[in-house]
Amino acid sequence: MCFNETNGRISKLMSMIKALPINLSNLQKTVLQQIVRGTTNPYRLVRRAKLILAAASGESNSSISRRLELDRVQVRQWRSRWFEEREKLSAAEEQ
C-alpha cells in the first residue's frame, strides 16, 4: 500500500467521524465574541475563539478548517478540548 492510498483512507475515515457537539452558555458566547472583537488579543486566541463559535453554530470541522485556514486535525483537537472541559467551564460560571 502506498502513502497516497493510506492517506486517502485516513482522510475518508476522518470525514466519517461525527464532530462533537458544542453548546455555549450565553456568558461563554459573549466572552468568546469579545475575544474575537478585541484588537489587542493574540491572533491564536482570536482564531480559537472563532473556531469554538463556529463549532457551536453547527459548522462542520471541514468548513471551519477551510475558513480559518487550519488543519482539520487542529479543529477537531480544539473542539474536543472545549467539549472535555465543558463541565469545568460551567462550574466556573456558577462561582
Side-chain angles (χ1 to χ4, degrees):
M1 179 183 314
C2 72
F3 176 75
N4 288 339
E5 289 176 24
T6 303
N7 191 26
R9 288 180 185 166
I10 291 171
S11 291
K12 186 173 183 175
L13 178 62
M14 286 172 40
S15 67
M16 293 169 51
I17 297 172
K18 183 78 171 157
L20 296 170
I22 301 296
N23 297 308
L24 300 176
S25 69
N26 289 333
L27 178 59
Q28 291 169 352
K29 187 174 181 179
T30 299
V31 170
L32 290 169
Q33 289 170 337
Q34 288 173 348
I35 290 170
V36 169
R37 287 192 304 264
T39 57
T40 59
N41 290 328
Y43 178 68
R44 289 187 306 185
L45 178 63
V46 171
R47 199 164 51 169
R48 289 175 188 152
K50 287 180 179 181
L51 185 157
I52 296 301
L53 287 167
S57 72
E59 197 170 332
S60 71
N61 288 350
S62 296
S63 175
I64 295 169
S65 70
R66 280 191 304 273
R67 189 166 54 80
L68 297 179
E69 298 179 356
L70 293 166
D71 188 79
R72 226 176 23 198
V73 173
Q74 288 176 295
V75 174
R76 189 176 336 104
Q77 181 179 37
W78 280 103
R79 185 189 288 257
S80 177
R81 286 177 179 171
W82 187 277
F83 184 83
E84 290 170 3
E85 299 298 324
R86 69 191 181 282
E87 292 177 12
K88 289 180 186 175
L89 291 167
S90 294
E93 274 184 59
E94 291 175 12
Q95 292 178 347

